[in-house]
Amino acid sequence: MPRIVVSGVPTTASRHITVLDGMRALAIIGVIGYHTRPSLLPGGFLGVTLFFVVSGFLLTRSMVNLFERLRFSYPHFLRGRVRRLWPSVLATIAGTAILVYCMAPSLLPKVRGDALPSALFYSNWSFIFRKLSYFQAAGLPSPLTHLWFTSLIMQFYVLWPLLFVLIFQLCRSRAARAAVIGALALASSLEMLLLYTPGQDTSRIYYGLDTRAAELLVGAALAVLMHRHVGRQDDEFAHDPPHWQFFSRTVHVRGRELRVTGQQLVNALGFALLVVFCVCFAIVDPQSAWLYRGGYLLFALLAAAMIWAGMHSGVFMRAMGAKVCSYIGSRSFSLYLVHYPLLVVLNPATRATPLPWWGYLGQFALILAVGEVFFQLIEAMRGTPWLPWLTRAGDNTEPARETAGERLGRRLTASGNAGVRMLGTAGTRFATLTARLRPGAVVGIVAGALAVLVLMLPLNWQAIAHARAVQLRPELALTAEQARKQLAKPAPAPSPQPEQPKGTDAAQSKGADIAQPQVSALKVPNNLDPSRWQCDAAAQQCSVRMLMIGDSVTAGVAQTLQQHFPQAHIDGAVSRQFATGEDLLAQFLGSGEDPQVIVFALGTNGAATREQAEHVVQLAAGRPLYFVTALAPVDWTAASNATFQEVAAAHPNVGIIDWSALATAHPEYLYDDGTHPNELGTQAYEQQLYNALCPHD
């Protein structure tokens, strides 16, 4: 991610390694693809593993060279890391807060909650303590979720030099140092394995520095193994080339002689690993148990092997260093920072249908453009060329000139007033820290700090967000009475139908006109008997003895439903799983409750299996049973709804209330999370349930 350059030290550590550009480009494409649409690149999250290995490799590589020259300064090292990360992170927080307020105000409370942890680089542990899942962040995910990565990287920057200096001093050989680092990586992977429990949330494992350190340490071990002493051109292996470079064999294939060399094998290895990662981006399931049982370590080792292969001259090195890879790789950190807030805003959960292919290309082009602006204004240091293959605008080895801020601070420090001197000292230190930054980065620091301070003010941020949301979506301000009136408005008149001929069809049409009112649902249980309860169509009051079990959607509409179904027992709870609903149904029926109708409204928080749905039917014991289709911006709801319809088709006493289809056709019924009905949706939900239980015209 952030490129590590040791300024003023003409060592091999500052030599650019082209294969890393290609790996960064591959990684950021995978991450953006995954965040754009998880079903598009379900394994794109593995790009983070590539970033970890590259970061651990570069960090350790620079430290080894500095240790050898006895030029390593821990405070100076941290100052450089802060200078690299903090301006970009603070600018991201400020830009996200403004973007969210203007275009997606419902996310503003999420930004407020994550701004300070992100700015102080502990957001990954904040997510762990708050039990916020990375892979199940549906509806209204925090636009700052992705900053868990920068938090973990900074924590590694702080701790790893302290530990590595001990390893460097106690172990004198490269093999011994690499072995110790490898043992630490193995211990980290073992901890991940022991903490993993199938079926439970993996946030603690995914976000934790201790459990993800293995990927960083694999890169560190590679840096130690590939290090050559000062003055040796290790990148090109001009001195002491490895034995494999002299490998050469003649292979006979179908009567033809083919010359196979060590360089060809290394190039083939590099391309094979590239193909492996591309395939895994497309097929790996982020919930797979094997990932936490050594899978992440395996991918880290493959990434390290790719770096090794790409550090030897050949066609693979040239391919990974192509201009397009060099460009995307050099902007990968900026692209990482800007892409997630943009995608969250550009893809609201209330969108009913996926974008066409050209829509996704347009979003990627926008991310690329914003990332370029962010790079030039915020991330790039003074003297960085406009394009990575151009010559630098300045030489960093020249003595830095005193900046205007440093001059002003020096003058204030010379003042006789103690307060002015303190201000001058602080100003001088800030000016020194930001001397190599571009003006935009300084503005980003100030804007980010102000944004964090403002967001920490004890204001009613929910009210502020709601007021702005109402400006964008006036239906959010409707009262219950206003919502009912709006739903009562007649629908547009249907287009005229051709006149039916006289005869049988006309008689059937006349018979339909005089038919008794019927209940309506996607499928009605065959033993549903509305004559067993009283219905008041004018007030939409129903005396049915209904047992309804649901999740947070049910909990949100429960008060309204209770008014219209006073004899009903409605039980809804946030994050309720389908299996929990099964247990509740068995408990209620076992306690002697005898409902006339059962309504089961679960499936939003996890996929419902055929066995689970069949168990609900078995518990209903022949009573009329309705499944309510689920709607949420997650992949499993479609599978759950299909399961409900299959079970309903197999059991005559089972019906379907298709809330998913109704809400999909009317996104104005939902809050911005794409799951929970607003007041307009609540009234529509109640009407749909009433129509499924009471006859109507």
Side-chain angles (χ1 to χ4, degrees):
M1 294 293 286
R3 305 177 73 175
I4 299 173
V5 178
V6 184
S7 302
V9 183
T11 70
T12 55
S14 61
R15 196 184 305 275
H16 185 63
I17 304 174
T18 56
V19 67
L20 301 184
D21 289 335
M23 294 184 66
R24 288 191 184 102
L26 176 65
I28 194 60
I29 290 173
V31 171
I32 293 177
Y34 175 78
H35 286 153
T36 300
R37 189 178 179 186
S39 60
L40 180 67
L41 282 181
F45 67 96
L46 292 173
V48 173
T49 296
L50 290 174
F51 282 135
F52 279 150
V53 175
V54 170
S55 297
F57 174 79
L58 287 174
L59 180 69
T60 307
R61 190 169 183 263
S62 65
M63 286 195 303
V64 170
N65 285 276
L66 290 173
F67 285 165
E68 283 192 345
R69 292 170 175 81
L70 302 178
R71 297 185 59 179
F72 181 80
S73 169
Y74 185 67
H76 178 76
F77 172 84
L78 286 185
R79 192 160 56 244
R81 305 289 75 75
V82 170
R83 185 165 50 229
R84 281 285 176 180
L85 288 181
W86 215 18
S88 298
V89 169
L90 288 176
T92 300
I93 294 172
T96 301
I98 296 172
L99 176 69
V100 162
Y101 177 79
C102 293
M103 300 186 64
S106 297
L107 296 170
L108 191 59
K110 298 288 185 72
V111 174
R112 180 178 184 261
D114 295 335
L116 185 62
S118 299
L120 298 182
F121 300 110
Y122 69 91
S123 64
N124 58 326
W125 293 105
S126 175
F127 294 146
I128 289 173
F129 296 144
R130 291 151 58 192
K131 298 182 179 180
L132 299 179
S133 174
Y134 178 79
F135 295 108
Q136 297 179 3
L140 290 176
S142 170
L144 300 179
T145 299
H146 65 314
L147 294 186
W148 75 271
F149 174 86
T150 57
S151 296
L152 190 147
I153 284 292
M154 179 55 76
Q155 293 159 23
F156 183 73
Y157 287 168
V158 171
L159 298 176
W160 179 233
L162 301 176
L163 183 58
F164 184 71
V165 70
L166 296 177
I167 299 174
F168 191 84
Q169 293 296 329
L170 296 176
C171 304
R172 294 301 179 181
S173 67
R174 288 186 299 166
R177 293 167 183 169
V180 172
I181 297 173
L184 293 175
L186 191 60
S188 174
S189 295
L190 181 61
E191 182 188 8
M192 175 181 283
L193 185 151
L194 294 176
L195 290 178
Y196 176 74
T197 302
Q200 293 188 7
D201 183 58
T202 58
S203 299
R204 166 64 184 88
I205 306 172
Y206 191 81
Y207 288 130
L209 172 62
D210 52 342
T211 49
R212 300 303 298 270
E215 297 147 82
L216 291 153
L217 293 173
V218 166
L222 178 67
V224 170
L225 287 173
M226 296 198 68
H227 175 71
R228 298 295 179 93
H229 292 296
V230 177
R232 311 302 288 271
Q233 297 177 348
D234 56 314
D235 292 342
E236 292 80 10
F237 288 90
H239 298 273
D240 299 334
H243 294 294
W244 62 262
Q245 287 195 349
F246 300 104
F247 174 83
S248 179
R249 291 287 187 277
T250 300
V251 180
H252 297 274
V253 180
R254 295 183 179 179
R256 300 179 59 184
E257 292 186 353
L258 297 178
R259 195 74 171 173
V260 178
T261 65
Q263 186 181 54
Q264 291 174 340
L265 292 177
V266 171
N267 287 327
L269 173 65
F271 282 112
L273 292 172
L274 180 62
V275 171
V276 167
F277 271 98
C278 291
V279 172
C280 289
F281 279 2
I283 65 173
V284 171
D285 182 357
Q287 303 293 347
S288 298
W290 64 270
L291 285 172
Y292 303 96
R293 294 168 174 166
Y296 282 112
L297 178 61
L298 172 63
F299 282 114
L301 292 172
L302 295 178
M306 189 185 298
I307 294 176
W308 178 84
M311 289 186 68
H312 302 89
S313 59
V315 63
F316 180 67
M317 172 191 279
R318 292 192 295 272
M320 296 296 280
K323 285 189 175 182
V324 62
C325 295
S326 179
Y327 175 78
I328 297 177
S330 66
R331 271 65 173 167
S332 59
F333 187 46
S334 292
L335 292 172
Y336 182 85
L337 292 177
V338 305
H339 85 281
Y340 193 70
L342 288 174
L343 288 175
V344 170
V345 171
L346 292 173
N347 298 286
T350 52
R351 179 179 291 150
T353 56
L355 286 175
W357 63 268
W358 50 265
Y360 290 118
L361 288 181
Q363 290 188 1
F364 184 77
L366 177 62
I367 291 170
L368 202 62
V370 175
E372 175 65 24
V373 173
F374 190 94
F375 176 82
Q376 297 294 350
L377 294 181
I378 308 296
E379 184 192 354
M381 297 291 178
R382 292 181 185 271
T384 301
W386 285 94
L387 292 172
W389 51 83
L390 299 179
T391 305
R392 293 184 62 85
D395 186 0
N396 285 335
T397 63
E398 296 180 357
R401 299 178 180 178
E402 186 180 42
T403 64
E406 290 174 320
R407 287 196 300 271
L408 177 60
R410 180 169 48 79
R411 292 171 183 174
L412 293 176
T413 304
S415 171
N417 186 286
V420 174
R421 285 200 306 271
M422 292 178 60
L423 180 62
T425 301
T428 301
R429 291 179 178 176
F430 181 77
T432 302
L433 180 64
T434 60
R436 292 188 56 212
L437 301 180
R438 290 184 174 179
V442 179
V443 173
I445 293 174
V446 176
L450 289 175
V452 173
L453 290 175
V454 170
L455 289 170
M456 293 305 296
L457 293 176
L459 304 176
N460 190 343
W461 290 99
Q462 291 286 353
I464 294 173
H466 181 72
R468 174 59 184 164
V470 168
Q471 293 178 350
L472 301 177
R473 298 182 57 193
E475 68 269 17
L476 296 178
L478 294 177
T479 64
E481 183 178 354
Q482 292 171 334
R484 285 193 294 270
K485 289 181 179 180
Q486 183 163 326
L487 291 173
K489 292 180 180 178
S495 56
Q497 300 294 326
E499 184 177 354
Q500 294 184 355
K502 296 181 180 180
T504 306
D505 292 341
Q508 291 178 352
S509 176
K510 181 178 180 180
D513 291 339
I514 61 175
Q516 295 295 323
Q518 300 293 324
V519 300
S520 61
L522 182 63
K523 181 179 182 295
V524 179
N526 68 340
N527 59 345
L528 186 76
D529 185 6
S531 64
R532 299 174 60 194
W533 49 83
Q534 296 182 353
C535 300
D536 184 348
Q540 288 212 321
Q541 291 279 339
C542 180
S543 65
V544 63
R545 206 166 58 250
M546 174 180 65
L547 172 60
M548 183 173 186
I549 297 175
D551 48 30
S552 57
V553 175
T554 301
V557 300
Q559 184 175 358
T560 297
L561 294 183
Q562 203 71 65
Q563 295 173 357
H564 294 271
F565 300 91
Q567 304 300 319
H569 179 181
I570 302 171
D571 191 300
V574 176
S575 301
R576 178 173 285 166
Q577 300 292 320
F578 201 92
T580 306
E582 296 177 67
D583 296 338
L584 282 175
L585 179 59
Q587 177 184 337
F588 290 144
L589 297 178
S591 64
E593 192 164 344
D594 185 23
Q596 295 170 313
V597 178
I598 298 173
V599 178
F600 211 77
L602 287 169
T604 300
N605 299 302
T609 65
R610 178 67 181 263
E611 292 74 14
Q612 289 176 319
E614 290 284 359
H615 185 221
V616 172
V617 176
Q618 180 182 359
L619 291 173
R623 297 180 180 88
L625 168 67
Y626 271 121
F627 284 114
V628 181
T629 56
L631 177 64
V634 289
D635 295 335
W636 60 72
T637 53
S640 296
N641 295 339
T643 297
F644 296 154
Q645 296 193 34
E646 292 174 3
V647 172
H651 298 277
N653 69 307
V654 179
I656 300 291
I657 299 175
D658 202 357
W659 164 248
S660 175
L662 179 64
T664 298
H666 296 277
E668 70 274 12
Y669 288 174
L670 303 174
Y671 284 114
D672 290 342
D673 62 0
T675 302
H676 298 91
N678 53 35
E679 190 58 54
L680 185 63
T682 297
Q683 299 301 323
Y685 193 104
E686 180 276 321
Q687 288 186 9
Q688 187 179 39
L689 185 57
Y690 179 88
N691 292 338
L693 295 172
C694 291
H696 57 279
D697 295 331

